[in-house]
Amino acid sequence: MIPTTKINNRRYLGNKFKLLPFITDVISKECTDFETFADIFAGTGAVSSAFTDKILYTNDILYSNYLCHLTWFSDEYFDISKIESYIDFFNSDIPYEENYMTVNFADTYFSKKNCSKIGFIREKIENEFNSGRINTRERAMLITSLLYGIDKIANTCGHYDAYRKGVELPESFTMRTPEPNSNLKHNHCYNKDTNELVREISADVVYIDPPYNSRQYCDAYHLIENIARWEKPEVFGIARKMDRTTLKSKYCTRSAPSAFEDLIKNIKANFIVVSYNNMAKKGDDRSNARISDVQILDTLRAKGSVKIFSEQFKAFTTGLSEHRDNEERLFVCKCS
């Protein structure tokens, strides 16, 4: 029997899974009679997973997250027996080999043995796809299964800005079969700059959950992104990061307010729902919010009427902030 996994079985900064009751309650009460839902900073896809009865538009700048969205939300056919057969093989005792992963990452985030297996599996998936033996969604499902499996044993605190030294590394990991919802709609998954995407799509409800502070997700998840893309770039530094210039988000910089203003101005929707944390100036400088409440409100009010809802929670963070009184706010704009 092949073990299975669901969408929430992954550690990820800013993951909204625990906040879904709050988010879905507000949206169901404030955004009436909607058929299409766009989650344009979707991350792992946790919020989209609560609206699979709608037509979904998901987007994330990280290719690794895009593959997860294809896994959980695409309506492309997949052969479950084929997926299980591959995963059963990948979970077997695969002979050691030298490859891109062992050369660059041995005994850092993973043991040398696990690096060999990760490199072998990822290369095998790509070869199977290029030969036509698996389709786009089956490829995404196998890569997602690999990413979820290695996340469980990674020598990190849930992100890849650094690895812990002097610890005993696991020598094996388990891949599980992803369990997408059945009866999905004809959904649309994107891997684009968000400000460009909103010029191309429209939806009844657009949900926005941008980065809150200066910590770039491509820094925190560079290794996951590297494995997902499998372009085998040169890596550098103690953390073994590749060049991430094209993956940097302007929402983590001082230009975040102007980017947000441009985003909202170009959205075509009946309702815009913005998630934003209340860090403001309460953490260290890197943790401070890049967009103020005044800037959010002024920008949204230029689009329509706005209501604000809040919920306290304990966030999964990098652990650098002393601020514990986290409050997630939802700004709901009914567009005029």
Side-chain angles (χ1 to χ4, degrees):
M1 186 71 177
I2 305 295
T4 60
T5 190
K6 294 185 181 295
I7 192 170
N8 59 301
N9 292 332
R10 181 184 171 194
R11 298 173 294 177
Y12 197 76
L13 297 169
N15 193 324
K16 293 296 187 292
F17 187 77
K18 292 181 179 179
L19 283 166
L20 282 183
F22 164 61
I23 293 169
T24 56
D25 182 61
V26 170
I27 290 176
S28 65
K29 288 178 180 176
E30 298 297 321
C31 307
T32 54
D33 300 324
F34 66 97
E35 296 297 327
T36 54
F37 183 86
D39 186 359
I40 58 177
F41 292 88
T44 62
V47 173
S48 288
S49 72
F51 296 97
T52 53
D53 60 326
K54 312 298 182 184
I55 296 173
L56 297 174
Y57 294 80
T58 65
N59 180 63
D60 201 88
I61 196 171
L62 294 186
Y63 185 70
S64 49
N65 287 336
Y66 166 70
L67 291 177
C68 293
H69 303 161
L70 289 178
T71 294
W72 304 116
F73 307 124
S74 171
D75 67 348
E76 183 178 12
Y77 170 81
F78 67 93
D79 185 337
I80 187 63
S81 62
K82 185 193 295 185
I83 296 294
E84 290 177 341
S85 177
Y86 278 111
I87 291 178
D88 187 44
F89 169 59
F90 293 152
N91 283 335
S92 67
D93 189 16
I94 296 171
Y96 179 86
E97 66 170 28
E98 289 286 339
N99 54 42
Y100 175 76
M101 290 297 297
T102 61
V103 169
N104 291 288
F105 300 102
D107 298 323
T108 57
Y109 303 96
F110 307 104
S111 69
K112 190 171 186 179
K113 180 180 178 181
N114 274 336
C115 279
S116 172
K117 189 166 186 175
I118 294 166
F120 171 86
I121 291 171
R122 186 62 190 86
E123 187 73 10
K124 178 72 170 176
I125 294 170
E126 210 62 17
N127 289 340
E128 294 299 280
F129 176 70
N130 290 334
S131 67
R133 286 188 281 269
I134 56 176
N135 65 26
T136 299
R137 191 179 188 193
E138 289 164 345
R139 172 181 178 268
M141 292 179 75
L142 291 173
I143 297 172
T144 297
S145 175
L146 175 63
L147 298 182
Y148 273 52
I150 64 177
D151 177 65
K152 296 294 184 186
I153 56 99
N155 178 30
T156 69
C157 297
H159 53 86
Y160 295 80
D161 260 334
Y163 56 86
R164 296 171 295 177
K165 297 180 180 178
V167 299
E168 185 175 349
L169 301 175
E171 293 292 344
S172 65
F173 62 91
T174 301
M175 289 176 59
R176 300 171 180 268
T177 303
E179 278 191 303
N181 284 9
S182 57
N183 302 317
L184 291 166
K185 307 281 188 180
H186 182 57
N187 299 322
H188 309 268
C189 302
Y190 297 93
N191 175 216
K192 300 191 68 168
D193 177 276
T194 306
N195 286 55
E196 295 176 8
L197 177 66
V198 296
R199 289 166 162 81
E200 303 171 12
I201 66 170
S202 63
D204 297 328
V205 177
V206 173
Y207 174 76
I208 303 172
D209 182 26
Y212 302 152
N213 54 46
S214 69
R215 294 188 174 90
Q216 295 276 356
Y217 278 75
C218 61
D219 293 342
Y221 297 101
H222 64 94
L223 181 52
I224 294 296
E225 186 71 1
N226 192 346
I227 295 170
R229 290 178 178 270
W230 205 235
E231 295 165 348
K232 303 175 188 173
E234 180 183 355
V235 296
F236 49 87
I238 295 175
R240 313 303 290 154
K241 295 180 180 181
M242 78 286 197
D243 182 10
R244 305 167 311 287
T245 305
T246 60
L247 300 176
K248 299 288 186 180
S249 172
K250 48 188 166 289
Y251 290 89
C252 299
T253 70
R254 297 185 190 279
S255 65
S258 60
F260 183 72
E261 184 177 354
D262 174 76
L263 180 75
I264 298 301
K265 182 176 67 175
N266 287 289
I267 285 177
K268 296 175 284 292
N270 297 326
F271 297 93
I272 299 172
V273 181
V274 180
S275 273
Y276 215 73
N277 193 271
N278 69 330
M279 284 303 294
K281 298 293 183 183
K282 300 174 183 176
D284 62 57
D285 183 61
R286 290 191 68 199
S287 297
N288 291 339
R290 291 300 172 208
I291 310 175
S292 70
D293 286 2
V294 171
Q295 290 166 327
I296 293 173
L297 283 169
D298 286 349
T299 302
L300 289 176
R301 282 171 178 159
K303 196 81 172 181
S305 59
V306 183
K307 294 182 181 180
I308 306 173
F309 305 84
S310 64
E311 177 93 342
Q312 287 195 338
F313 76 108
K314 183 177 180 180
F316 169 48
T317 71
T318 57
L320 298 176
S321 172
E322 296 298 320
H323 179 50
R324 291 181 174 84
D325 185 23
N326 285 289
E327 186 178 67
E328 189 76 12
R329 280 87 46 74
L330 287 181
F331 299 80
V332 180
C333 174
K334 183 176 181 180
C335 300
S336 18

